[in-house]
Amino acid sequence: MEWLRPAGGAVGLLCLWLWSADMARAATPDDRAIANDHLTTGDVVTYGMGLNANRFSPLRQLNTDTVGRLAPQWSAELDDDRGQEAQPLVHDGVLYVITHKSTFAFDARNGEPLWRHDLSFEKRMFRVVCCGMVARGAVLYRGKLIRQTLDNRVLALDMKTGRELWSVQAADWQDGYTMTGAPLLANGVVIAGVAGGDMGIRGFLDGYDAQTGKKLWRFWTTAGPDDPGGQTWTGDTYLHGGGATWLPGSYDPKLDLVYWGIGNPGPWNATVRPGDNLYTDSVVALRPKTGERVWHYQYIPNDTFDFDGVNELIQTELEIDGRQRQVILNANRNGFFYVLDRATGELLRANRFVDTLNWATGIDPACGRPILSDTARAVLAGEQRVIWPSNIGGKNWGPASYNPHTGLVYLNGFELSMNYKLMSASWRRGMMYVAADFSFRLPEGGPPLGYLRAVDPLTGERVWQVPYDPPANGGTLSTGGDLVFTGLMTGELVAHDARSGERLWSHKTASGIIGPPITYELDGRQYVAVMSGVGGLLALYLPHPELARVPRGGSVTVFGLPQEQAR
């Protein structure tokens, strides 16, 4: 760094000052740190390990040759026996984790507790939480850890002390709203979504100033009579039309567009709400500063199977029909894998990625709408049918990862059906509003319920797959070392060869893993961190005998190579 020499005179001193100022800014995650989170290896400051939601790290100290020596370095209990679905964050040698009721900061080198912040809730609130008392993550920005709470607050804590800096109430839990997701930071705006789509809510996304917590805008996900798309609802059905936003989206800084998946309409019985029901079961592209909708694509108009549309929206570049396209990849719960143009929302590909699917015969490439099967039409006519996939989905919420070196998406897939029949129901404030009867079918001695899958995004082809039963649902992490990590509900963190699928390593943690792992570099060593704690949707509703034997209790475990082998 020749220009740092004193002989450089005033110019050299100016460059030194600029370099020092840059280092000072790097001490707390700023806009550049957020934008480069997918490139930097020493920290993880966003959910998805980057605004592109790739969950890919270029780190390769851990690889197919060395991963067999991976071992726990430290672990910490989290004083919580609920499901742990959150993704850890790490910055400047500090590891941050959240549970539904607490936020923790640990020394990332040895697990020493640095601070803890606790939340308290009215016990009555827990009856409106549909699918487990969980939290999925946070974001680090300008000295703040920003998270959401079950009682619908968006909360900023001081990264150094855990002191509360600002708190904003977004919704009333008594109306059926909860916040279980992670916020997205886009162009200085905190964007937060809500759960409760099965409670008769009207879904929304909110934008807040990250520095002050001031509310900037609200985007309603069920279009009202005066909104574009309002004609797709009958009467006042939009007021209880679902459209939850409980998983975070992704953000393209160059296009300045936020992409967010919108949940299923409510109630599930589509016959009581004729129309396409925009913007449920859709992806919307919004301007982060204003909440303006730029485009949308609807996966399923008038969905009646609770297929949702909230799964992660992975950004990458692919060659399609001889042309490089900036795209979004979405492995949808409905069993189809979608490729959309990021700038326009144009449908480029939609292929099945599950073994069995009978609610539709395909996606019409001309209009992008599903072609309903005779089975689906029978359900709409009031008959009971077996539906593939179930409302758990061909892939549930556990986030997939994309490896740009292999060109494959790695996901936890499901092969599970449901007995399904539409019912009638009336909306009551704070009560379930489903209007359908369903039960899962567990085949005796049949194929496994789940697979870790490597999927070609352009064809839906399963390049390889490894069975897991009970199915995994914590999400995946892929790396430059040709590894894929995922957690199992029986407690193991496992590593597979990204190209062949061969299982290379596993270690059993204290409880089931239902949240996504991360990897990062600290002091020249690569680490993998994951939270444990069985619970969540599948533990509540999937009648699998193995799950009853998994110990409860939340913890975080950090893995690394032995120090002498990490160089």
Side-chain angles (χ1 to χ4, degrees):
M1 302 177 72
E2 193 72 18
W3 46 267
L4 288 180
R5 291 180 178 176
V11 173
L13 290 174
L14 175 61
C15 291
L16 178 60
W17 180 84
L18 290 172
W19 178 81
S20 300
D22 185 64
M23 292 300 101
R25 284 195 299 270
T28 181
D30 57 10
D31 293 274
R32 186 169 61 177
I34 294 283
N36 292 330
D37 197 31
H38 63 294
L39 300 173
T40 55
T41 57
D43 57 16
V44 176
V45 299
T46 61
Y47 187 87
M49 298 177 58
L51 295 175
N52 61 11
N54 277 206
R55 294 192 176 276
F56 170 81
S57 170
L59 286 171
R60 56 183 63 187
Q61 186 181 90
L62 289 171
N63 53 55
T64 55
D65 293 325
T66 63
V67 72
R69 300 191 293 274
L70 190 63
Q73 303 300 300
W74 60 266
S75 65
E77 295 184 1
L78 302 176
D79 186 29
D80 183 34
D81 66 355
R82 304 289 184 175
Q84 307 303 324
E85 295 186 353
Q87 175 208 293
L89 300 173
V90 64
H91 179 74
D92 196 23
V94 179
L95 187 83
Y96 301 89
V97 297
I98 72 170
T99 70
H100 82 282
K101 67 174 184 177
S102 302
T103 307
F104 299 85
F106 298 100
D107 187 314
R109 293 173 175 84
N110 55 29
E112 178 185 351
L114 301 178
W115 56 258
R116 170 177 176 172
H117 176 276
D118 291 323
L119 301 165
S120 60
F121 307 108
E122 288 190 50
K123 290 183 177 179
R124 292 183 303 141
M125 184 205 71
F126 295 142
R127 66 179 172 83
V128 308
V129 182
C130 140
C131 306
M133 282 175 270
V134 299
R136 294 189 177 89
V139 62
L140 303 178
Y141 182 67
R142 295 192 180 277
K144 303 175 186 65
L145 180 149
I146 304 171
R147 62 164 295 174
Q148 299 166 231
T149 70
L150 279 181
D151 58 356
N152 304 299
R153 286 187 294 149
V154 184
L155 177 67
L157 305 177
D158 188 290
M159 286 172 55
K160 295 294 185 183
T161 65
R163 180 174 60 90
E164 189 172 308
L165 299 176
W166 56 256
S167 175
V168 181
Q169 191 75 42
D172 188 341
W173 65 262
Q174 296 182 84
D175 291 327
Y177 291 99
T178 50
M179 282 184 160
T180 59
L184 176 72
L185 198 291
N187 201 359
V189 178
V190 177
I191 303 175
V194 290
D198 300 329
M199 305 293 294
I201 65 161
R202 185 187 185 193
F204 63 82
L205 287 169
D206 276 351
Y208 300 92
D209 183 282
Q211 293 295 88
T212 65
K214 178 184 177 182
K215 183 177 171 181
L216 303 176
W217 51 263
R218 171 164 289 183
F219 174 80
W220 292 105
T221 60
T222 63
D226 298 326
D227 300 327
Q231 75 281 1
T232 65
W233 294 88
T234 302
D236 64 356
T237 55
Y238 73 97
L239 292 174
H240 307 297
T245 49
W246 51 277
L247 287 181
S250 61
Y251 174 57
D252 184 335
K254 291 183 179 179
L255 293 175
D256 192 34
L257 286 177
V258 167
Y259 310 102
W260 209 287
I262 312 301
N264 59 282
W268 297 357
N269 186 340
T271 65
V272 304
R273 43 173 171 78
D276 285 357
N277 307 143
L278 288 172
Y279 297 92
T280 63
D281 276 28
S282 300
V283 51
V284 295
L286 308 177
R287 295 290 181 205
K289 288 290 189 182
T290 63
E292 172 198 0
R293 182 183 58 85
V294 176
W295 59 258
H296 77 275
Y297 171 80
Q298 189 171 39
Y299 304 114
I300 311 178
N302 196 229
D303 175 26
T304 202
F305 296 115
D306 182 35
F307 279 144
D308 240 321
V310 296
N311 283 0
E312 66 284 345
L313 299 162
I314 295 171
Q315 300 177 35
T316 191
E317 180 177 302
L318 296 177
E319 183 177 332
I320 300 177
D321 300 329
R323 176 184 167 193
Q324 290 297 120
R325 304 291 294 259
Q326 304 294 317
V327 299
I328 291 170
L329 310 178
N330 175 259
N332 202 277
R333 275 170 60 167
N334 69 22
F336 288 97
F337 198 110
Y338 294 82
V339 182
L340 303 176
D341 185 282
R342 282 214 299 274
T344 65
E346 177 190 357
L347 176 66
L348 302 174
R349 293 288 188 275
N351 293 293
R352 191 177 81 180
F353 70 94
V354 296
D355 290 337
T356 308
L357 186 153
N358 72 350
W359 71 274
T361 60
I363 306 298
D364 187 329
C367 63
R369 299 168 74 95
I371 305 167
L372 292 184
S373 66
D374 291 341
T375 301
R377 297 185 187 283
V379 169
L380 290 169
E383 299 179 27
Q384 179 173 309
R385 286 289 189 271
V386 175
I387 298 297
W388 293 84
S390 75
N391 56 2
I392 295 293
K395 174 191 169 300
N396 200 246
W397 78 271
S401 60
Y402 173 73
N403 185 326
H405 300 163
T406 65
L408 300 176
V409 171
Y410 302 95
L411 58 86
N412 296 133
F414 290 78
E415 295 292 339
L416 180 66
S417 63
M418 63 180 175
N419 289 306
Y420 195 75
K421 181 175 172 50
L422 300 182
M423 308 288 285
S424 61
S426 299
W427 176 80
R428 293 175 59 194
R429 185 188 188 214
M431 303 295 288
M432 290 288 286
Y433 187 46
V434 171
D437 181 63
F438 71 100
S439 61
F440 300 121
R441 301 175 69 248
L442 298 183
E444 293 184 10
L449 298 180
Y451 296 85
L452 174 63
R453 284 176 161 151
V455 176
D456 182 329
L458 290 179
T459 66
E461 176 192 0
R462 280 80 78 203
V463 176
W464 57 257
Q465 62 182 19
V466 177
Y468 279 115
D469 196 3
N473 194 38
T476 69
L477 159 71
S478 55
T479 75
D482 274 347
L483 296 175
V484 178
F485 290 90
T486 194
L488 308 184
M489 294 184 70
T490 47
E492 294 86 356
L493 181 67
V494 298
H496 288 258
D497 186 306
R499 298 183 185 274
S500 69
E502 179 186 359
R503 180 160 156 172
L504 303 174
W505 171 88
S506 70
H507 181 90
K508 191 159 190 173
T509 63
S511 183
I513 298 175
I514 58 170
I518 64 166
T519 189
Y520 57 92
E521 185 179 31
L522 182 61
D523 301 332
R525 299 173 67 186
Q526 182 181 354
Y527 295 92
V528 177
V530 71
M531 295 175 67
S532 299
V534 74
L537 176 78
L538 294 189
L540 284 171
Y541 295 116
L542 190 64
H544 198 292
E546 284 291 320
L547 298 181
R549 294 193 282 268
V550 179
R552 301 181 72 88
S555 63
V556 59
T557 305
V558 174
F559 299 87
L561 294 176
Q563 189 164 8
E564 64 276 6
Q565 299 177 15
R567 299 294 179 182

